[in-house]
Amino acid sequence: MIFSKSIPLCFLILCFFHHSAIGASPLYHFCFSPENYTANSSYGANLNLLFNRLYTKVPPSGFGLGSTGHAQNQVNGLALCRGDVSSQNCNTCVIGASKELRERCPYSKGAVIWYDHCLLKYSDVNFFGQIDNKNKFSMTNVQAVENNPTLFNEKVQELLSGLSNEASDANPKFYATGEVQLDTFTTLYGIAQCTRDLSNVNCKKCLDVAISGLPNCCDAKRGGRVVGGSCNVGFELYPIVGT
């Protein structure tokens, strides 16, 4: 399969092949804070403490958040694992994500990184409960749908809109997957997930905005995702979860 990459003004569009290995490379990252901390500073020590707490807090339920330190040295962070990922694989992903962020965003006071199995985000600004509309990207399978692309797009929208409702409506995990049979040999699979610091209303809002962005990156494509710091949606013609 052949893939390509282009970068428009608003956010990255990365054409990809599905990663399933725990040790796979990150999907993407942002060092989004304009501020830096110094070596051996209180902020750096609090960041290390936050990561250590997330290692313990996140794997049992797949989500955790916390803050360490005070005033200008306070660090706020969260980690989210995909809803089907085991506690062991979640722990492995979060630990790997923290190590990778230190290497890719050294001394940045705010950064976020995504893998297939998890995301990790921290900032000196308290962002809990707020939709992250700045840190996002999209991923596209460059292979196009051959038969009736208009109908295919409609089925994608229909499936993901339903999953948006399911994930945000009294769902403790803010996570939903589903599938629809397109024909005898073809099944469309979808996924929707939010970070659990959001309200139900903001989860729904975040997912719906993500879905509305799919035509810009993934029109009539065999697969695609819109991934952000607060939620993500995706579709494929092969099973997404359990890998």
Side-chain angles (χ1 to χ4, degrees):
M1 189 176 294
I2 300 173
F3 302 93
S4 65
K5 179 169 70 175
S6 62
I7 305 177
L9 292 176
C10 294
F11 52 87
L12 179 93
I13 297 181
L14 175 65
C15 303
F16 76 110
F17 188 78
H18 185 69
H19 297 276
S20 60
I22 298 299
S25 298
L27 302 178
Y28 204 65
H29 75 282
F30 289 105
C31 312
F32 58 79
S33 176
E35 303 293 332
N36 290 326
Y37 63 91
T38 58
N40 303 316
S41 65
S42 295
Y43 191 93
N46 289 332
L47 179 60
N48 291 333
L49 179 59
L50 174 66
F51 284 160
N52 288 332
R53 289 181 178 177
L54 292 178
Y55 298 158
T56 303
K57 192 172 186 179
V58 175
S61 67
F63 177 76
L65 55 75
S67 300
T68 56
H70 302 282
Q72 71 270 19
N73 292 316
Q74 180 169 310
V75 189
N76 313 284
L78 62 77
L80 173 72
C81 289
R82 201 176 68 194
D84 65 305
V85 173
S86 68
S87 294
Q88 180 179 351
N89 288 348
C90 179
N91 182 65
T92 300
C93 190
V94 173
I95 291 175
S98 68
K99 293 178 179 177
E100 198 72 25
L101 267 188
R102 286 191 182 98
E103 293 180 4
R104 295 181 179 232
C105 302
Y107 306 120
S108 175
K109 282 195 170 185
V112 59
I113 192 168
W114 295 267
Y115 290 77
D116 265 336
H117 284 177
C118 71
L119 76 82
L120 175 65
K121 178 182 176 182
Y122 73 88
S123 176
D124 59 329
V125 177
N126 189 336
F127 58 87
F128 301 145
Q130 303 173 35
I131 300 174
D132 184 351
N133 289 313
K134 294 182 178 180
N135 301 301
K136 62 181 178 181
F137 64 100
S138 60
M139 308 177 69
T140 306
N141 185 325
V142 297
Q143 288 193 331
V145 174
E146 297 177 356
N147 299 320
N148 203 335
T150 299
L151 178 60
F152 181 81
N153 287 340
E154 291 174 357
K155 291 296 184 181
V156 169
Q157 291 286 326
E158 180 182 325
L159 173 60
L160 294 181
S161 293
L163 294 179
S164 173
N165 290 330
E166 183 180 342
S168 61
D169 184 17
N171 185 329
K173 279 193 169 185
F174 276 7
Y175 167 79
T177 61
E179 61 188 71
V180 59
Q181 198 73 30
L182 300 181
D183 57 43
T184 305
F185 305 104
T186 310
T187 303
L188 175 65
Y189 300 88
I191 186 170
Q193 186 172 20
C194 295
T195 57
R196 294 179 221 164
D197 59 312
L198 298 183
S199 65
N200 295 76
V201 172
N202 279 347
C203 176
K204 179 70 164 58
K205 185 183 298 183
C206 185
L207 291 172
D208 287 348
V209 169
I211 293 169
S212 71
L214 285 170
N216 297 325
C217 68
C218 315
D219 184 59
K221 301 300 185 181
R222 293 174 61 89
R225 307 183 202 178
V226 172
V227 184
S230 294
C231 69
N232 69 87
V233 296
F235 68 94
E236 291 290 350
L237 293 178
Y238 57 78
I240 297 173
V241 301
T243 58

